[in-house]
């Protein structure tokens, strides 16, 4: 059963301080990277160094610290933009991916979506890529429609074509990788077809950016959103890459300091991109931390990160087949998946599964994974989910399999 | 033996008491715990100000279902106006297992539903915050 | 000239690692706390510890790390609420003060402000308490009106009464302490009068929360906003205290994960307060850091922080009088001021002043301080501004005075 | 002597050349640097495709005002179509002082205004980003 572990493609666990942690004397088996990733030493150290040596408010300060802080933050933006194939001036820092999507819903949506129009999303979206569109449609009288998810966890381009052919679709929003199914969606095709049909596209790359090479420029969506904390970076920062023409024409979203050029009593004018969409004091330490995170990922090479995830997912799919009563949800092969595996274990509710494997320090998630509509589509109240980061290896999968066997014993199933 | 999933918990989970629907009934409520997708409804028959019969129905984790089953045996026969006074501690003690903060709402869902049905107050019982 | 420095009320510089920094071999004279504060060791260590030992996504995780992280974050919320005299459930974490104000403008303003209504703010507001109301008024057709600032930098309650008597004021928004003038506004009176006139109140406490004891409950505004990075806490987090009845009735602002109770294909229901207004992954490390910051401030006692600032401002006002050509802007006495002093130096533009004193590592700010309308009112293009934190003492003031003298020499004025 | 505020910089700041207004004029532009509140306008007279006379006016820090004054002596006599080709480096070199990132826009404001007046392009010159 237990394998003579093949060497992993990446071997970087030692870079992540949290794995020095022992709980009840035993190491951590962290399989919840789809919820949030762990952080390498270099990211933690960058934040620490920022506060210890450089902390100052940015953009408007003349003194040395303020200049250093500004350069560190704007330098991080350059590297974050390059990491995802975006341009610096169209790479906007937000609070998280959720805020990035809301920014588009408010600042683009309210001007371009109205009664008789439709917003098209998919049944596999995260709540953060559903609720902003519900609010927008409720406010503007537009219709919210969904692309179906097949039993295998996939979208249909034919259905997309049919929806676009109706001629009312103003925006198509779709996850790059599903955080529940693991499905890697054909976003290049989706973006291309939507574009030909005159629809604006938003791709939610929250799961993709940390897992595979992304080239927003080549992919070509109008908006691409992702989130720092899932990409080895800090909490409190997300990214929105936008198409320049759209960003330039959009009204601002949040008003306040830094996003203005001039403020008069009754009227203001807006700052250049990207600052037009960054109101108030920036997430400076978070920007610096995210810069360190993309440096680290770039050092690993995203092709290797993707190969590593694929290899681990392949191994995990194989080993899960050994456990009686396991039903894996989503695409069948590791090629079609990101590093996420949702499953059910017969006779044990996912919430109990997660609690039981936690006794072996195996951290997995149970619940609706912020995707209640997908749960409804799949006909399950919840799933258990294991997901991977660059720091995982086969021994983590083995630990999960062992813990699942124990869980079955406790429940006598 | 497992601390949390004791034999009687698993027994109540697998063979819940007072489970099903009750038609006709005098009171009812339905609620859920979005955290884990637990759902629970209750049908209650009342006579002389007392709960004379009751059925829970729904689906969820072992803790939520076993808790409903165990507590159901207490609710039957209880004066209606006592239900609103029950708090989270009462239920946790009744279960006799160590309930962590994350599982608290699983355990308390049945009490929330009962209070909803009898007092109309659909907030989480004390300690379910 | 140089004084035998009286002992300061607080003596805590050693708690702040940045003061170990030397630039060109000399220590830092940080006089820009109104822009952002420096961070004590305990705050930096709390963030570091969070990432090294506890990092996990919160609220929905069953495993140990997720429980710890949730308790750390929600525990921080309790202490942050208590620090400001607010209630835990009505204490909402935002990205910064700016977002907190925008939240109110969007989620409350768009439902309650319309044509024929007025929003009343003051000439001394920060852009973050101006632009959101401009955007709101532009969208809704309401009128934006201003309370004047006197030559001494004060508001007039008579004018407030007159404005309220017009019967159309739906909202009064006002800074607790001006970030330019230092003026401590009579917010209890303002809130009381506005309330009697049926207007909702928002107090911008960005400068006040770090400097003086705040009791939002006793003060009684409908909304009170402040920002973590000015209160010894991290960037990327702000606070909005709201009145429960209003928050409960308001539509959500940002839609997404965590702020929902249920999501169906077309409709969602909202989570309890405060989470209803916190969409997406929370600023977990930032919350933990802000919790450590309020613990630190509580340890110092906010009465002492206020006394310390007052003492320093008094000393600085006195010493600035020694410098020929200095004109101080704002109230005359330290009693009427927070720890902020804006000034002009005759013959030298503020930007040059800031650059020149930086040669002595004296960090002050020059510019419009995100208060262009106030600059217009004062008839100055910009000011120089020195501001204080608990870590400053008289030697910092002395360094500023010395550097100003040198600046005058360079310019031959 | 000070590195940045050299005597000739302060001299140009205190007694700026080509300062004032010019009526009538052929070209004009006005702009500002919100960072420090610098404002600068220019009036230009043109003959035979050349700048024959020019006046800056405005207020701001020593760097922005001195830079305008120093550069004004270069602009006079320059063929109009050369202005658009001038970049930030040209100006920084002309000033002969070490300009930090924060002060760059102060130094470049006059070139921005000149380009605005002659080419209609109101973006920051190279290096003023
Ligand atoms: C009075 C006042 N209000 C609001 C703000 C905005 O705070 P933040 O930029 O953190 O949102 C500031 C500081 O920049 C301020 O001084
Ligand atoms: C696919 C997907 N989209 C969006 C999000 C939202 O990210 P955040 O909570 O950081 O805004 C997540 C993660 O929670 C996700 O997995």
């Amino acid at each position: 059963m237990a394998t003579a572990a093949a060497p992993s493609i990446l071997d970087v666990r030692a870079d992540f301080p949290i794995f020095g942690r022992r709980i009840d004397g035993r190491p951590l088996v962290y399989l919840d990277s789809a919820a949030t990733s762990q952080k390498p030493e270099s990211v933690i150290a960058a934040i620490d160094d920022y506060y210890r040596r450089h902390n100052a408010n940015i953009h408007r300060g003349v003194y040395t610290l303020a200049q250093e802080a500004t350069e560190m933050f704007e330098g991080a933006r350059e590297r974050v933009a390059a990491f995802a194939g975006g341009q610096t001036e169209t790479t906007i820092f937000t609070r998280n991916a959720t805020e990035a999507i809301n920014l588009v819903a408010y600042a683009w949506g309210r001007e371009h979506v109205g009664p008789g129009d439709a917003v098209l999303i998919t049944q596999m979206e995260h709540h953060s890529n559903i609720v902003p569109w519900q609010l927008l449609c409720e406010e503007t009288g537009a219709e919210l429609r969904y692309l179906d998810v097949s039993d295998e966890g996939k979208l249909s381009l034919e259905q997309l074509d049919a929806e676009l052919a109706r001629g009312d679709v103003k925006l198509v929003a779709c996850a790059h990788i599903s955080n529940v199914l693991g499905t890697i969606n054909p976003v290049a095709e989706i973006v291309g077809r939507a574009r030909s049909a005159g629809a604006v596209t938003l791709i939610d790359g929250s799961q993709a950016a940390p897992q595979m090479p992304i080239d927003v420029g080549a992919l070509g969506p109008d908006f691409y959103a992702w989130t720092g904390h899932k990409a080895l970076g800090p909490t409190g920062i997300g990214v929105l890459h936008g198409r320049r023409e759209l960003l330039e024409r959009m009204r601002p979203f949040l008003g306040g300091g830094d996003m203005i050029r001039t403020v008069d009593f009754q009227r203001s004018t807006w700052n250049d991109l990207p600052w037009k969409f960054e109101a108030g004091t920036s997430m400076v330490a978070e920007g610096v931390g995210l810069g360190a995170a993309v440096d680290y990922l770039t050092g690993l090479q995203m092709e290797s990160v993707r190969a590593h995830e694929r290899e681990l997912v392949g191994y995990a799919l194989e080993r899960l087949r050994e456990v009686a009563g396991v039903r894996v949800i989503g695409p069948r092969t590791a090629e079609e998946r990101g590093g996420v595996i949702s499953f059910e274990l017969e006779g044990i509710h996912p919430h109990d599964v997660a609690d039981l494997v936690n006794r072996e320090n195996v951290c997995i998630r149970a619940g609706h994974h912020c995707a209640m509509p997908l749960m409804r589509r799949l006909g399950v109240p919840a799933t258990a989910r294991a997901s991977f980061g660059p720091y995982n290896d086969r021994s983590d999968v083995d630990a999960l399999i062992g813990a699942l066997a124990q869980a079955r014993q406790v429940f006598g199933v | 033996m497992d601390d949390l999933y004791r034999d009687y918990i698993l027994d109540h989970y697998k063979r819940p008491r007072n489970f099903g629907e009750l038609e006709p009934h005098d009171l009812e409520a339905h609620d859920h715990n979005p955290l884990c997708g637990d759902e629970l409804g209750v049908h209650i028959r009342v006579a002389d100000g007392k709960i004379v019969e009751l059925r829970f129905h729904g689906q969820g984790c072992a803790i939520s279902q076993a808790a409903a089953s165990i507590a159901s045996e207490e609710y039957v026969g209880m004066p209606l106006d006592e239900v609103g006074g029950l708090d989270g501690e009462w239920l946790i003690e009744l279960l006799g297992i160590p309930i962590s903060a994350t599982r608290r709402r699983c355990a308390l869902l049945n009490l929330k539903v009962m209070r909803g049905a009898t007092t109309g107050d659909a907030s989480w019982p004390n300690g379910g915050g």
Side-chain angles (χ1 to χ4, degrees), chain A, chain B:
Chain A
M1 243 191 57
T3 47
S8 291
I9 292 171
L10 296 175
D11 179 14
V12 298
R13 180 132 40 177
D15 295 345
F16 292 76
I18 204 161
F19 295 110
R21 171 97 189 258
R22 293 288 172 274
I23 297 176
D24 297 332
R26 288 172 311 165
L28 209 59
V29 179
Y30 188 75
L31 294 172
D32 197 21
S33 294
T36 201
S37 64
Q38 296 302 338
K39 321 303 173 200
E41 176 67 35
S42 61
V43 168
I44 303 174
I47 297 169
D48 198 83
D49 174 66
Y50 171 74
Y51 283 128
R52 277 176 202 280
R53 296 182 43 83
H54 309 283
N55 174 64
N57 210 325
I58 57 172
H59 291 154
R60 282 155 293 136
V62 175
Y63 53 85
T64 310
L65 287 189
Q67 290 186 36
E68 289 174 357
T70 303
E71 278 160 31
M72 289 168 80
F73 180 74
E74 293 300 341
R77 188 197 306 277
E78 281 171 30
R79 281 136 51 219
V80 167
F83 170 76
Q87 292 178 310
T88 305
E89 313 87 67
T90 55
T91 295
I92 297 160
F93 284 137
T94 60
R95 171 217 278 229
N96 50 26
T98 303
E99 199 201 30
I101 297 170
N102 278 276
L103 189 165
V104 177
Y106 273 98
W108 181 87
R110 294 195 305 151
E111 293 220 356
H112 294 93
V113 173
D117 292 337
V119 170
L120 183 63
I121 65 177
T122 89
Q123 289 181 337
M124 69 169 84
E125 297 313 307
H126 187 281
H127 292 162
S128 293
N129 203 19
I130 299 175
V131 183
W133 310 119
Q134 288 183 345
L135 293 174
L136 175 68
C137 289
E138 196 180 301
E139 185 178 331
T140 60
E143 189 188 356
L144 181 61
R145 292 205 299 266
Y146 287 80
L147 291 178
D148 298 332
V149 168
S150 73
D151 290 341
E152 229 200 306
K154 297 192 175 170
L155 302 175
S156 146
L157 290 176
E158 290 67 44
Q159 194 194 8
L160 172 65
D161 287 337
E163 283 289 346
L164 291 171
R166 293 171 66 174
D168 59 354
V169 176
K170 282 282 150 59
L171 179 116
V172 178
C174 173
H176 197 155
I177 297 183
S178 158
N179 68 312
V180 179
L181 303 163
T183 314
I184 303 177
N185 285 315
V187 288
E189 286 81 353
I190 293 172
V191 166
R193 290 168 195 226
R195 212 171 163 65
S196 307
V200 160
T201 46
L202 179 144
I203 302 300
D204 172 5
S206 301
Q207 294 296 336
Q211 290 194 37
M212 56 192 279
I214 300 295
D215 186 341
V216 171
L219 206 55
D222 297 292
F223 299 101
Y224 193 98
W226 53 290
T227 197
H229 67 94
K230 294 191 209 273
L232 312 190
T235 55
I237 189 162
V239 182
L240 179 68
H241 305 283
R243 185 180 296 283
R244 186 190 303 271
E245 306 88 85
L246 270 64
L247 293 175
E248 274 170 357
R249 268 184 267 125
M250 275 154 65
R251 283 187 78 195
F253 174 39
L254 305 179
D258 237 37
M259 53 72 72
I260 55 90
R261 185 185 310 281
T262 58
V263 176
D264 209 335
F265 288 100
Q266 295 299 333
R267 240 164 229 298
S268 299
T269 60
W270 314 129
N271 201 342
D272 296 326
L273 294 175
W275 306 289
K276 172 180 169 187
F277 292 103
E278 296 183 0
T281 299
S282 300
M283 298 72 84
V284 189
E286 290 77 8
V288 170
L290 186 57
V294 301
D295 289 348
Y296 182 84
L297 285 169
T298 304
L300 298 185
Q301 298 189 308
M302 290 308 294
E303 291 77 9
S304 303
V305 173
R306 168 69 190 133
H308 177 85
E309 302 256 354
R310 195 171 43 213
E311 200 275 335
L312 265 185
V313 166
Y315 179 68
L317 288 173
E318 197 182 301
R319 294 234 45 205
L320 278 167
R321 260 181 243 123
E322 293 170 18
V323 184
V326 162
R327 185 174 80 90
V328 168
I329 294 161
R332 267 178 230 120
T333 71
E335 271 59 44
E336 306 162 283
R337 287 182 169 264
V340 176
I341 303 179
S342 280
F343 61 94
E344 290 188 295
L345 187 51
E346 205 186 327
I348 317 186
H349 188 279
H351 209 176
D352 295 312
V353 174
D355 204 331
L356 285 160
V357 302
N358 182 45
R359 287 128 197 246
E360 308 299 318
N361 286 350
V362 175
C363 309
I364 65 170
R365 197 148 285 247
H368 52 64
H369 314 293
C370 294
M372 285 190 189
L374 179 60
M375 295 293 117
R376 186 143 317 177
R377 159 65 186 89
L378 297 172
V380 297
T383 76
R385 181 186 75 185
S387 56
F388 305 97
Y391 31 73
N392 290 119
D393 62 24
R394 289 184 169 214
S395 73
D396 297 319
V397 175
D398 295 338
L400 169 65
I401 301 298
L404 289 176
Q406 287 193 27
R408 297 187 67 237
Q409 246 168 21
V410 170
F411 266 59
V413 293
Chain B
M1 208 193 57
D2 200 274
D3 248 20
L4 184 63
Y5 298 105
R6 290 170 187 263
D7 288 343
Y8 64 90
I9 297 287
L10 292 176
D11 180 59
H12 276 275
Y13 172 52
K14 292 178 184 171
R15 298 183 298 108
R17 323 303 189 255
N18 300 310
F19 206 75
E21 318 230 329
L22 204 56
E23 299 295 357
H25 52 263
D26 302 305
L27 298 172
E28 64 166 41
H30 191 96
D31 216 323
H32 71 289
N33 174 6
L35 187 73
C36 43
D38 292 341
E39 282 195 72
L40 204 64
V42 72
H43 290 164
I44 300 175
R45 260 190 218 144
V46 181
D48 291 341
K50 282 191 182 165
I51 296 174
V52 291
E53 214 173 342
L54 141 177
R55 291 282 186 287
F56 281 115
H57 42 265
Q59 55 176 0
C61 67
I63 304 301
S64 74
Q65 303 299 299
S69 171
I70 292 169
S72 73
E73 302 188 321
E74 303 294 318
Y75 296 136
V76 174
M78 193 178 277
L80 260 193
D81 58 9
E82 277 185 20
V83 176
L86 298 174
D87 67 358
E89 293 322 311
W90 168 80
L91 190 60
I92 303 289
E93 222 166 87
L94 179 69
L95 296 183
I97 47 174
I99 296 282
S100 69
T102 0
R103 301 310 293 271
R104 243 184 133 76
R105 287 194 168 189
C106 306
L108 299 191
L109 182 58
N110 70 81
L111 181 53
K112 182 171 197 268
V113 173
M114 286 298 292
R115 289 169 23 139
T118 59
T119 71
D121 170 11
S123 66
W124 284 98
N126 227 359

